[in-house]
Amino acid sequence: MIAAANLKKSIRDTERLLRRPTLPADVRQEKERQLKALRLGLQERAAAEHRRHLTSRYRMVRFFEAKKAVRRLHQAEQSGDAEAIREARKDCLYVQHFPHDVKYISLFPSVPMTDAAELAKRKEMREAIFAEHAEDDIVLPGMNMMAGAASSAKSGSADFSEEDEEEEDDEDEDDEDDDEEDGGE
């Protein structure tokens, strides 16, 4: 991608060229198209820079909110409350799919929000994101390991029962008997 300074320089050069009264019509038309493309490129460059700035600015906030949202989702799943699960999924999807080119509105602010417009905008964005991504899996950056560890810890203790312990003890006794028979020969 061309640097912003180079784009601006090309735009200035093209504008100067177009100011010439003796410029042939076909060259003028070509340069006008080129000027339009250069201006569009400059706008895209500015938009990408704005998106990069907002992404880096809210990266940590979004990360911590993702952790809180996933924690609340796990708690809601453990309690079995369908409404709490739905709200926790909305929170997770909100953090995951919030647009990077808009100022992030926190779900869990440290100071309670009092601005009604901000609250309404957050609620509207949350509902819109949920409507669009309700069927999606929740995959948050850095949350895969946390979710995997939590699920394996839960399932690990449930998979191992007393019956399994008894079967292992019986196998150990059989092995000891085999060892004694081999040693006696």
Side-chain angles (χ1 to χ4, degrees):
M1 183 175 254
I2 301 173
N6 291 342
L7 281 172
K8 290 178 183 179
K9 182 182 181 300
S10 297
I11 289 171
R12 279 193 309 272
D13 291 345
T14 307
E15 287 173 343
R16 285 187 197 117
L17 184 64
L18 287 172
R19 284 190 219 129
R20 289 185 182 174
T22 59
L23 196 63
D26 60 333
V27 175
R28 179 174 297 278
Q29 189 176 20
E30 180 185 330
K31 293 299 178 181
E32 285 174 351
R33 285 188 195 138
Q34 184 182 10
L35 180 63
K36 193 180 284 188
L38 289 169
R39 285 182 177 158
L40 182 63
L42 186 62
Q43 286 176 349
E44 289 173 356
R45 178 103 176 151
E49 182 63 33
H50 181 68
R51 188 177 320 108
R52 191 175 312 113
H53 170 72
L54 289 177
T55 300
S56 66
R57 181 176 183 177
Y58 296 111
R59 182 178 178 150
M60 188 181 289
V61 173
R62 290 176 71 151
F63 174 76
F64 288 124
E65 289 205 350
K67 288 178 81 169
K68 288 179 185 178
V70 168
R71 190 179 320 123
R72 287 187 180 191
L73 179 62
H74 287 306
Q75 290 171 350
E77 287 173 346
Q78 287 176 351
S79 71
D81 183 13
E83 185 60 31
I85 292 172
R86 179 179 163 83
E87 292 301 312
R89 277 188 56 79
K90 281 183 184 180
D91 291 344
C92 290
L93 290 171
Y94 176 85
V95 173
Q96 181 178 356
H97 294 287
F98 194 88
H100 289 280
D101 57 347
V102 180
K103 179 185 176 230
Y104 184 75
I105 303 170
S106 179
L107 282 172
F108 313 109
S110 58
V111 177
M113 292 175 61
T114 58
D115 186 14
E118 286 277 314
L119 289 169
K121 186 175 180 181
R122 181 179 68 188
K123 183 177 180 182
E124 177 184 322
M125 287 289 290
R126 193 168 167 254
E127 294 298 327
I129 289 170
F130 185 71
E132 186 175 340
H133 300 282
E135 299 300 319
D136 292 357
D137 287 335
I138 297 172
V139 180
L140 298 167
M143 295 297 108
N144 298 354
M145 294 187 328
M146 188 175 103
S151 65
S152 66
K154 292 176 192 171
S155 63
S157 62
D159 291 342
F160 194 73
S161 64
E162 290 179 19
E163 293 173 4
D164 294 335
E165 248 180 71
E166 291 173 8
E167 289 176 14
E168 285 184 14
D169 290 339
D170 292 339
E171 290 175 9
D172 290 339
E173 289 173 9
D174 292 339
D175 290 340
E176 289 173 9
D177 293 336
D178 291 342
D179 291 339
E180 289 174 7
E181 290 175 9
D182 291 338
E185 292 179 14

